[in-house]
Amino acid sequence: MNREPLFGLSAGYISKQSANLTRIFLQKKYNIVADRPVGLGLEPSAIYPGLSLIKNSSDGTQIGKGLIVGSIRMGYGHHRMALSVYSHSLAKKIPTFLHDLLAIDSNESKAIHDIDQSYSFFSRLSAEMGGPVEWAWGQLMSQGNLTSLELSCQLAELYKNLMIALPKENPVITTYPLNGQIAVASNFKNVIHLICDNFPQFYLLVPGAMNLVQSPSSYTKYIEMGVPKENLAVAGHWVSEDIARNANIDSENRIRRIDEKKKRRFLIPIGGAGAQRSFVQDVIALSKSALLDRDFHFWINTGDHTKVLNGFEEFLNQQKIPYKSILTWEQLQDFISDHPLKEDERDKTPSVVLFNFSSHTEAFSATDKLIRIADVLVTKPSELAFFPIPKLFIRRVGDHEAASVLRSLELGEGTVECREPKHAHELVEIFAFSNDLLLRMNEKVIKHSTDGIYNGSKVAVEMASQFLS
């Protein structure tokens, strides 16, 4: 394993000095004191039995032997990747601890949170305004050069109080680069980092760790960028255990629904930044006649954003389109049990169903639950682009996401990116009223599932488990 800073690459003197000045500025602004570990303890997850959440604690609670999964509440994508990891570790009965950088009250997490808020704001702004704003944000999101990696690694040194008190013999799997960089700075012995997206950038890497990617093309590009082979491997897609394990069965059920001429179910998750609301509302307006005639179904997960839910409800009332709202985890379970793939649609259920939840974990977990009984996933090309279900891609948030569409097209599981609602509506109708495209995509998913392409998170957990024996 190459343990050199930046893998032995150099960002240059000016970049190093600029990063150092930024670190000094943030240290003073947020009053971060070096070598003052944050007191940490555990509380059980309310949804996932066996998962322990790392929280603030002053009682000296000991965190025992097990797997630490590092993530951050920055939208839903990184926590969805974390779910893909701990769903596999919990299935293997491995004690698992989730370390969310923003779930810990400290000056360090406050500094990280303020940066995240800016990211979410500009993501929403670019999606809503388009044009020059979208272009500028897209350019920024695809410029993760060595300078940005230098800055991130220096900030990791500043933030290591968030992890330095945890047992160093525990393996760590991270789903956000700063988590991994902090773990390395804190002298953890075995760090495995899952790289998001499919667009190679330096700032997504964790020097001193094993970096895993989802595709061969991403691997090849990182090698060309100078990343040592001993720090890099292709694992597969980051997919939660139940979805990966049942990918063949669920695809066969979708094919059976096609054969039985069932009405298509389109699952439309709104991202953690809430950036796709206007686009989806335009698609709904274009689909109004078909929705009123119950020709197909839109299931829209608004996550934990109450304002987004209220906006959709107001819009649907204005359009006079009937809808149903699912607002609790218990109601979601009832909804899923009422809609197994083998059953006919209930006439009592409106064509549009809205979902909203009180917690962040419920919000992104609901999408994973609904994927298994949906026919088509309508999504921006986020981490969901790698899931084993036919996908209709809507407008990206950041140019880096375009490469995820290319990966899906390469596998034959998804559409091109629909930049305009009219294009997305046209593809909705193709999926809803013809069979060939949907059949081919499901057949591709079955093939790739058999080939193990969706087992990336399983591979990561197996790699980490060798350090627990």
Side-chain angles (χ1 to χ4, degrees):
M1 179 73 67
N2 186 313
R3 302 286 184 183
E4 295 180 82
L6 273 65
F7 308 107
L9 304 171
S10 177
Y13 177 79
I14 294 177
S15 294
K16 290 180 180 178
Q17 295 306 311
S18 298
N20 187 50
L21 288 173
T22 302
R23 180 176 68 170
I24 293 171
F25 169 77
L26 291 174
Q27 185 172 11
K28 290 183 177 180
K29 179 179 180 180
Y30 292 95
N31 191 29
I32 297 173
V33 180
D35 300 319
R36 184 180 289 177
V38 178
L40 300 175
L42 300 174
E43 70 175 46
S45 168
I47 298 179
Y48 296 101
L51 178 67
S52 297
L53 309 179
I54 297 177
K55 300 285 187 178
N56 292 87
S57 176
S58 58
D59 61 6
T61 303
Q62 293 297 309
I63 296 172
K65 188 174 183 180
L67 171 66
I68 298 172
V69 179
S71 190
I72 186 171
R73 179 176 173 165
M74 185 176 286
Y76 296 136
H78 298 289
H79 264 296
R80 191 183 311 283
M81 290 169 62
L83 168 59
S84 77
V85 174
Y86 59 71
S87 62
H88 282 282
S89 62
L90 295 177
K92 293 172 72 70
K93 308 297 184 185
I94 297 173
T96 306
F97 315 106
L98 178 64
H99 185 276
D100 176 358
L101 292 175
L102 296 185
I104 298 167
D105 184 17
S106 69
N107 292 342
E108 291 85 353
S109 61
K110 178 66 166 60
I112 298 168
H113 174 268
D114 289 350
I115 295 173
D116 172 49
Q117 290 297 101
S118 299
Y119 170 85
S120 296
F121 171 77
F122 284 108
S123 290
R124 289 192 298 271
L125 193 66
S126 69
E128 296 299 321
M129 296 188 67
V133 176
E134 183 188 13
W135 176 84
W137 185 241
Q139 291 294 303
L140 182 62
M141 289 296 98
S142 57
Q143 298 297 318
N145 54 22
L146 261 176
T147 297
S148 62
L149 179 59
E150 172 72 41
L151 173 60
S152 188
C153 288
Q154 288 212 26
L155 293 181
E157 285 283 345
L158 180 63
Y159 301 147
K160 63 184 180 182
N161 286 337
L162 290 167
M163 288 192 76
I164 203 166
L166 299 175
K168 305 300 186 299
E169 64 274 10
N170 283 4
V172 181
I173 298 179
T174 57
T175 65
Y176 184 65
L178 186 59
N179 291 89
Q181 293 154 7
I182 292 173
V184 171
S186 301
N187 295 317
F188 276 84
K189 300 174 183 177
N190 300 293
V191 181
I192 298 168
H193 175 56
L194 310 191
I195 296 180
C196 64
D197 300 326
N198 197 46
F199 183 75
Q201 301 184 81
F202 278 109
Y203 93 96
L204 295 176
L205 294 162
V206 177
M210 171 57 74
N211 293 265
L212 302 181
V213 297
Q214 300 186 85
S215 71
S217 62
S218 181
Y219 174 86
T220 301
K221 181 62 176 176
Y222 276 120
I223 293 296
E224 293 173 352
M225 290 163 59
V227 180
K229 290 184 179 180
E230 61 264 34
N231 291 80
L232 194 66
V234 181
H237 294 188
W238 320 134
V239 178
S240 53
E241 193 272 342
D242 60 329
I243 295 178
R245 175 167 44 85
N246 291 294
N248 278 2
I249 294 172
D250 292 345
S251 297
E252 290 165 357
N253 285 333
R254 292 184 186 107
I255 290 172
R256 190 179 71 245
R257 280 177 49 78
I258 294 170
D259 293 340
E260 295 176 359
K261 298 181 171 56
K262 302 295 186 184
K263 296 174 182 178
R264 310 290 194 255
R265 299 162 172 171
F266 294 88
L267 173 59
I268 311 174
I270 305 299
Q276 297 85 38
R277 190 179 86 182
S278 296
F279 191 103
V280 173
Q281 286 180 347
D282 288 344
V283 175
I284 291 173
L286 291 167
S287 306
K288 179 177 178 178
S289 176
L291 290 170
L292 291 174
D293 290 341
R294 296 179 51 78
D295 290 332
F296 47 79
H297 301 269
F298 280 175
W299 295 347
I300 305 171
N301 183 10
T302 64
D304 56 347
H305 299 293
T306 303
K307 289 184 178 179
V308 176
L309 170 70
N310 294 340
F312 272 108
E313 290 179 331
E314 181 180 352
F315 175 79
L316 291 167
N317 286 328
Q318 290 173 349
Q319 294 287 322
K320 295 183 168 51
I321 298 175
Y323 66 91
K324 177 179 181 178
S325 295
I326 302 292
L327 304 178
T328 69
W329 189 253
E330 291 72 26
Q331 289 176 356
L332 172 70
Q333 300 300 324
D334 291 341
F335 179 85
I336 291 173
S337 65
D338 282 345
H339 289 77
L341 286 165
K342 63 184 180 182
E343 294 290 334
D344 293 326
E345 268 68 38
R346 278 35 172 195
D347 289 337
K348 63 183 180 182
T349 304
S351 289
V352 177
V353 181
L354 303 176
F355 300 85
N356 190 267
F357 302 92
S358 60
S359 80
H360 184 75
T361 302
E362 291 175 345
F364 67 81
S365 297
T367 296
D368 282 48
K369 297 294 184 184
L370 289 165
I371 278 175
R372 293 202 53 204
I373 61 170
D375 294 306
V376 180
L377 178 65
V378 181
T379 179
K380 76 182 184 75
S382 62
E383 281 312 305
L384 288 169
F386 300 87
F387 274 55
I389 179 175
K391 291 166 285 285
L392 192 168
F393 291 116
I394 60 176
R395 192 164 63 202
R396 63 183 179 264
V397 180
D399 286 355
H400 63 293
E401 292 187 336
S404 299
V405 176
L406 294 178
R407 172 61 173 168
S408 187
L409 288 170
E410 174 184 86
L411 296 175
E413 302 173 356
T415 69
V416 297
E417 178 191 353
C418 298
R419 303 286 299 160
E420 300 297 332
K422 185 175 183 292
H423 187 192
H425 171 252
E426 290 169 352
L427 283 171
V428 164
E429 294 202 323
I430 289 173
F431 277 118
F433 301 121
S434 61
N435 297 336
D436 290 349
L437 180 61
L438 199 53
L439 278 170
R440 286 201 304 272
M441 287 186 177
N442 278 297
E443 289 166 354
K444 289 292 187 181
V445 169
I446 292 172
K447 178 184 182 302
H448 300 320
S449 175
T450 303
D451 292 342
I453 282 179
Y454 309 115
N455 290 338
S457 296
K458 179 181 180 181
V459 168
V461 170
E462 289 172 347
M463 291 177 65
S465 63
Q466 67 180 311
F467 302 115
L468 291 169
S469 57

